[in-house]
Amino acid sequence: MTPAERAPGSALHARGALSRLREALARSPAEGSFRAAAAALAAAPIGFASGAILSVRQLAPREAGGDAGAMVLGYGLLGALIAAVLFALVAFRLPPKPARIATLVAGGASFAILLYMVGDFVADRMARAQAFDAAYAAMPAFELALASNNPGRRPFSKLAYDAETREYTATRPGGWLCRGTASRQHKMALFAGLRVAEASDDCERKATWRIDGDSAKVNVCGAFDSLFAAADEMVEATQRHASCRRPDD
């Protein structure tokens, strides 16, 4: 190298200074923190998928019971946290170039996992929607009336429902008469409640219904827990859009 090339202001001297500056920045705490944060974000989806898969295959079926979904989510979040912390520590301690390579590899794997999870979620929702549409189309028409001996019962004491129009009339506490329209999901839930309705000697509640193709059932006594629960949910979910008035208005 000639003295001219080593002289301040020369192109070679400028490139050397720039290279040293990049190395200094790469060794700075701020650069290390940025690498650690990028590695943590890149690795979190891998940890989430690993934790969720582990819980589904090993833990949830034996321990969760009805809370399997919550357990899968919990282990997924725990896995994401562990993976993020581990990758952040590794990236912080590695030299810049290996850290960048590891982050890019983890990011690519995470992107592939996210694509798979989104695709699986969309496919599952489509399958559920198709199954619901098929079951809804096969459901026969029916009419339903429910009554409770308790006039102060919430959210209703009496209810009449027409499945063809999905409209209902409910007598609510205080003597309010409310009319509303239920969703298809509410209609399906009411029909499911009818299918498991059983008569009993308890006449605190009564139900009257008619299903196309079956004989009518009039003032049948029973607890009808599933049926009243479905009707309660329907009234509470649609009460904001229902039209209510006093019987003498």
Side-chain angles (χ1 to χ4, degrees):
M1 183 183 298
T2 64
E5 292 173 334
R6 290 196 299 267
S10 66
L12 187 58
H13 184 271
R15 285 196 297 270
L18 184 60
S19 177
R20 289 191 296 273
L21 177 60
R22 283 199 298 264
E23 291 176 0
L25 289 175
R27 291 192 298 268
S28 67
E31 177 69 16
S33 300
F34 176 79
R35 292 200 309 271
L41 291 175
I46 299 176
F48 182 88
S50 301
I53 292 172
L54 175 64
S55 65
V56 168
R57 294 187 176 180
Q58 301 295 331
L59 303 173
R62 295 198 302 267
E63 301 175 5
D67 297 328
M71 179 167 281
V72 170
L73 177 61
Y75 276 96
L77 293 175
L78 179 61
L81 178 62
I82 293 174
V85 171
L86 290 178
F87 268 71
L89 291 174
V90 171
F92 190 81
R93 294 182 177 276
L94 281 177
K97 187 173 182 179
R100 285 194 295 267
I101 293 174
T103 300
L104 288 175
V105 171
S110 294
F111 183 72
I113 290 173
L114 289 174
L115 284 180
Y116 173 79
M117 293 175 67
V118 170
D120 185 66
F121 174 79
V122 171
D124 179 70
R125 293 299 296 267
M126 290 180 63
R128 291 191 181 196
Q130 291 172 355
F132 178 86
D133 289 341
Y136 188 86
M139 183 170 44
F142 66 93
E143 295 178 357
L144 171 66
L146 301 175
S148 170
N149 290 340
N150 179 12
R153 182 186 181 276
R154 295 181 180 274
F156 70 88
S157 58
K158 294 181 180 179
L159 179 137
Y161 176 79
D162 184 354
E164 185 174 356
T165 61
R166 302 205 311 270
E167 294 180 348
Y168 69 85
T169 301
T171 302
R172 307 202 61 188
W176 289 93
L177 193 65
C178 298
R179 289 184 172 86
T181 302
S183 67
R184 298 199 312 163
Q185 288 77 9
H186 292 137
K187 178 180 176 180
M188 183 73 77
L190 287 173
F191 185 72
L194 276 178
R195 285 306 191 189
V196 299
E198 295 183 357
S200 71
D201 295 332
D202 180 11
C203 283
E204 176 67 22
R205 296 174 176 177
K206 293 182 180 180
T208 297
W209 68 88
R210 183 187 63 81
I211 302 175
D212 278 1
D214 293 342
S215 58
K217 310 294 182 181
V218 180
N219 288 333
V220 180
C221 295
F224 304 122
D225 291 335
S226 298
L227 193 53
F228 269 77
D232 289 346
E233 166 63 23
M234 176 185 69
V235 173
E236 290 175 345
T238 58
Q239 62 183 350
R240 292 182 60 186
H241 303 288
S243 174
C244 298
R245 63 175 179 83
R246 294 280 190 179
D248 53 357
D249 288 348

